[in-house]
Amino acid sequence: GRVLQFDQRRKYGSRTGRIRRSAILERLAQVADLLDAALAETGFLCGATPTVADFAAWGFIQLLDGLDGWETIKSRKNLYAWHKSLLRGPKPASETTPRRLPVA
């Protein structure tokens, strides 16, 4: 507990004072960079398809839409594409199922 409290104070300031807006946005940029790098290979956090990790992280990212940190999210190519893909939801079966060629 005490180590965590020290780490939180070191990163974000004292617990009694207000956290500087710039410190919050800097930390958001660090997290966005980590997520963007993790999404670079497959487009999802834990494999080739969305998992519970993607949906959990997406929920927090979605809360930023329209707030000051949203530009930080939009500036990370992989992160923003991932956000949009989960926002759209799964493709209909007609788009994922290959069409059968007519038999002559």
Side-chain angles (χ1 to χ4, degrees):
R2 295 181 71 77
V3 173
L4 179 62
Q5 288 175 356
F6 170 76
D7 190 47
Q8 294 296 319
R9 262 187 266 124
R10 184 176 55 83
K11 286 183 183 176
Y12 305 112
S14 71
R15 295 181 70 175
T16 58
R18 291 191 55 140
I19 301 169
R20 294 184 337 270
R21 180 179 176 269
S22 61
I24 294 170
L25 293 175
E26 287 172 20
R27 183 66 180 143
L28 175 61
Q30 292 170 351
V31 171
D33 288 339
L34 288 172
L35 287 171
D36 195 60
L39 294 164
E41 189 175 327
T42 64
F44 297 103
L45 293 175
C46 297
T49 59
T51 64
V52 69
D54 291 286
F55 295 113
W58 182 86
F60 286 103
I61 298 298
Q62 179 61 22
L63 291 173
L64 296 172
D65 193 355
L67 299 178
D68 289 342
W70 190 242
E71 290 303 316
T72 301
I73 302 303
K74 287 176 68 174
S75 68
R76 279 32 178 215
K77 182 182 79 169
N78 299 321
L79 182 57
Y80 190 59
W82 167 82
H83 174 268
K84 289 192 310 186
S85 74
L86 291 179
L87 186 61
R88 282 191 304 270
K91 293 180 181 177
S94 62
E95 291 182 29
T96 58
T97 306
R99 295 183 183 186
R100 293 178 180 233
L101 297 174
V103 178

